[in-house]
Amino acid sequence: MKKPLVSLFAISLLLTGCMQTVTYDVEFHAISKDREGQLLLASLRVIERRLESLGSDQLLSQDISTQSDNVSITLSIRDKAAAVLLTEELTKPFTLDVMIETNEDEEPDVDIDGHGTFRKTDITAEHLLWIEAQEDVGTGQQSKGRIFLFFTEEGRERMIALFKGNKGKSIGLFVKGRLVSKLRIDTETISDNIVIENIPSYEIAKIFADDVNVGLHMIFTQQ
């Protein structure tokens, strides 16, 4: 008995059946107009990295549309499951909390294995304006990275208050509930911005800046 022939068209449908096209409307939040293009490029890098973490060659194409001040990003993704996970990640509310290391007699809000216990402060995402990554060229073979945290005026005043009386403690920067950086308080006075140094590489510093800036200032809604 002869087996039925499968047409090339049918094979094509089978191969592309799992591909997913998804479009997100983008809204910019609390950012100047001249930063929007920079943020869009950063968001594409964030999307590429998220999809790479879900498997190689997931991103098939990407397109940005800016019509009548309405911005959207359309992606073709190889696997539907990867598209679902990406959408969950992009549309999840962004949170950022500055926490302070606790004393022995204080009740902590979180206990991070290997890093100690921390309690929340009154400094959150609304008090941070921007993060800038910079290469810190040293004497070693591989240069390290550092990031500059620029706060609002209110945020800076709250950081000044936090530094006072807490010399020797560590500040924890928590993004979406996860500890992403620690900063030891070595002085009770601060300059115009906070600098976190000794990041293992400039590339890591750029990734961190992209993730936070996009989270702070871009809202994704799936069409």
Side-chain angles (χ1 to χ4, degrees):
M1 178 176 172
K2 292 183 178 181
K3 294 182 180 179
L5 294 176
V6 180
S7 69
L8 290 176
F9 177 71
I11 292 174
S12 176
L13 287 177
L14 288 171
L15 291 176
T16 61
C18 293
M19 188 184 73
Q20 185 81 4
T21 298
V22 59
T23 299
Y24 305 101
D25 291 323
V26 176
E27 179 184 348
F28 295 99
H29 171 70
I31 196 68
S32 60
K33 195 74 175 177
D34 59 348
R35 289 275 197 188
E36 291 182 3
Q38 189 175 352
L39 276 171
L40 272 175
L41 292 177
S43 72
L44 293 181
R45 293 192 294 268
V46 168
I47 288 168
E48 288 171 0
R49 286 192 291 266
R50 300 276 167 84
L51 287 175
E52 283 174 4
S53 71
L54 298 173
S56 61
D57 300 325
Q58 284 291 344
L59 183 60
L60 301 177
S61 68
Q62 56 189 5
D63 179 68
I64 296 176
S65 174
T66 55
Q67 296 182 354
S68 302
D69 290 332
N70 296 319
V71 180
S72 63
I73 298 175
T74 299
L75 308 171
S76 293
I77 300 171
R78 186 175 300 280
D79 297 328
K80 183 177 180 179
V84 170
L85 290 173
L86 176 68
T87 298
E88 289 177 355
E89 186 69 20
L90 290 178
T91 58
K92 185 189 303 182
F94 180 81
T95 62
L96 183 146
D97 295 282
V98 175
M99 299 192 187
I100 185 74
E101 187 180 3
T102 59
N103 296 322
E104 291 183 358
D105 58 344
E106 290 181 313
E107 183 71 23
D109 290 305
V110 294
D111 186 345
I112 307 298
D113 188 31
H115 295 282
T117 57
F118 296 83
R119 63 172 174 83
K120 291 183 178 180
T121 70
D122 58 357
I123 307 169
T124 61
E126 66 180 288
H127 301 110
L128 187 61
L129 289 172
W130 190 256
I131 287 185
E132 195 75 41
Q134 188 178 92
E135 189 172 15
D136 187 8
V137 181
T139 56
Q141 292 183 347
Q142 182 180 5
S143 61
K144 293 188 175 182
R146 57 184 174 185
I147 55 173
F148 292 80
L149 282 68
F150 297 91
F151 288 89
T152 64
E153 186 59 36
E154 181 181 1
R156 186 172 179 277
E157 290 175 359
R158 294 187 180 195
M159 286 296 292
I160 290 173
L162 183 64
F163 269 52
K164 288 182 178 178
N166 284 314
K167 187 176 180 180
K169 288 187 177 182
S170 291
I171 290 175
L173 188 63
F174 287 76
V175 174
K176 293 184 178 181
R178 296 177 297 186
L179 177 64
V180 296
S181 184
K182 281 173 61 177
L183 173 67
R184 183 176 175 83
I185 301 177
D186 293 324
T187 176
E188 293 193 0
T189 60
I190 64 173
S191 58
D192 290 339
N193 50 69
I194 303 294
V195 182
I196 299 178
E197 299 181 308
N198 293 319
I199 296 174
S201 71
Y202 176 47
E203 186 62 29
I204 292 176
K206 288 194 298 180
I207 291 171
F208 179 80
D210 282 349
D211 287 345
V212 174
N213 288 331
V214 169
L216 282 173
H217 301 298
M218 297 183 73
I219 300 171
F220 296 84
T221 305
Q222 186 179 5
Q223 286 187 3

